[in-house]
Amino acid sequence: MRHLHLGTEWIQGSMYLDAPNALVHEYIQRMMAWLLFVPPESVKERQAVQLGLGAGSLTKFCAKELRMQTTAIELNPKVLAACKSWFKLPAETPRLQVVLADAAQEIQNPKWWGTVDALQVDLYDHEAAAPVLDSLPFYNHCRRLLTPEGCMTVNLFGRASSFTRSVEKMSAAFGKDAIWAFKPTREGNTVVLAQHTPSRPKRDVLMARADRIEFEWGLPASKWVRVFKPMLS
């Protein structure tokens, strides 16, 4: 296994050397929970955007395994260089691109508005103490990116982060009935999902989609259904 560090002991991402497109960490797998809310056969026609490249795990999985239109927005050119050199990030194509930019600024570009089906937010600096972007204006901008069926997933982690405060801001932007959350992983990561359009799929629908997700892409989606619930239930 290979890990990405930004000059500290904090791991920014990981890769199996013999399976470079696999999702190593449990929280990274949970960032794909938006798959439960769309028909599996529609996935390859959709667009994914990652705010924060990390070790390229989500970007590679969406582009190579799910075959989606995929864009990562990354501030640090050294992270992009590391992903290309050490983490098998593919060369850019019309369906896979990395934009070197400040995510807070880039998502205000109208060209992205209403185009994103899966927005994956994992923004941490080298100290990994709290999310870099975690304000109500930021989450308002995130919601504006989404298609009607779109979802945002956010990794909340860090000694200076506050799950309650972050969820309050997301709820203000998306509506309280749009917020779903996982239980924390053993490592302390909590993944929160926000829907552009709130829905409450029946459990049998979620389980059927989970079975298909496990079969098609090898993700532990039936476990997601057990440890994942709306904040207003």
Side-chain angles (χ1 to χ4, degrees):
M1 193 182 297
R2 181 170 289 154
H3 302 296
L4 175 65
H5 300 266
L6 300 181
T8 71
E9 74 275 15
W10 296 102
I11 292 173
Q12 302 285 338
S14 305
M15 180 184 75
Y16 294 121
L17 295 176
D18 59 351
N21 292 337
L23 300 179
V24 174
H25 299 292
E26 187 172 35
Y27 83 89
I28 288 283
Q29 296 170 359
R30 292 178 177 185
M31 296 285 278
M32 303 301 301
W34 61 270
L35 287 166
L36 292 169
F37 294 92
V38 298
E41 61 274 10
S42 73
V43 168
K44 66 179 180 297
E45 307 303 326
R46 297 177 181 272
Q47 173 160 241
V49 169
Q50 293 84 40
L51 304 186
L53 180 61
S57 301
L58 291 170
T59 303
K60 290 186 296 183
F61 195 89
C62 289
K64 304 299 285 186
E65 302 299 320
L66 302 184
R67 302 188 181 283
M68 299 175 71
Q69 180 84 34
T70 305
T71 301
I73 301 173
E74 172 57 49
L75 181 64
N76 188 342
K78 292 182 179 178
V79 170
L80 176 57
C83 285
K84 289 180 175 178
S85 297
W86 296 101
F87 291 91
K88 298 190 184 301
L89 184 70
E92 293 191 34
T93 69
R95 292 184 63 80
L96 169 62
Q97 60 174 319
V98 178
V99 177
L100 278 174
D102 182 339
Q105 298 299 318
E106 183 64 23
I107 64 174
Q108 295 183 55
N109 186 330
K111 78 173 187 176
W112 299 110
W113 298 355
T115 69
V116 181
D117 298 288
L119 178 65
Q120 297 165 315
V121 183
D122 195 11
L123 291 165
Y124 288 82
D125 64 13
H126 62 288
E127 292 292 345
V132 173
L133 297 175
D134 184 43
S135 68
L136 176 57
F138 170 69
Y139 291 124
N140 281 329
H141 294 321
C142 286
R143 186 178 186 275
R144 190 167 56 185
L145 299 180
L146 297 179
T147 62
E149 282 190 300
C151 293
M152 173 185 75
T153 48
V154 182
N155 172 37
L156 295 178
F157 174 78
R159 60 189 179 277
S161 68
S162 167
F163 173 80
T164 302
R165 285 199 302 272
S166 294
V167 167
E168 284 175 354
K169 294 167 195 168
M170 289 182 221
S171 297
F174 286 81
K176 291 182 178 179
D177 56 347
I179 310 298
W180 298 61
F182 282 95
K183 296 176 181 176
T185 65
R186 287 186 303 276
E187 297 78 20
N189 300 78
T190 303
V191 171
V192 178
L193 180 143
Q195 298 176 280
H196 183 278
T197 308
S199 67
R200 291 291 184 271
K202 295 273 194 294
R203 185 175 175 83
D204 59 340
V205 172
L206 292 174
M207 288 305 300
R209 284 183 178 166
D211 289 343
R212 180 83 178 271
I213 292 164
E214 291 192 356
F215 177 76
E216 296 274 356
W217 301 299
L219 295 169
S222 59
K223 182 182 178 184
W224 296 347
V225 177
R226 295 197 302 272
V227 296
F228 181 57
K229 65 179 183 179
M231 295 292 287
L232 282 182
S233 55

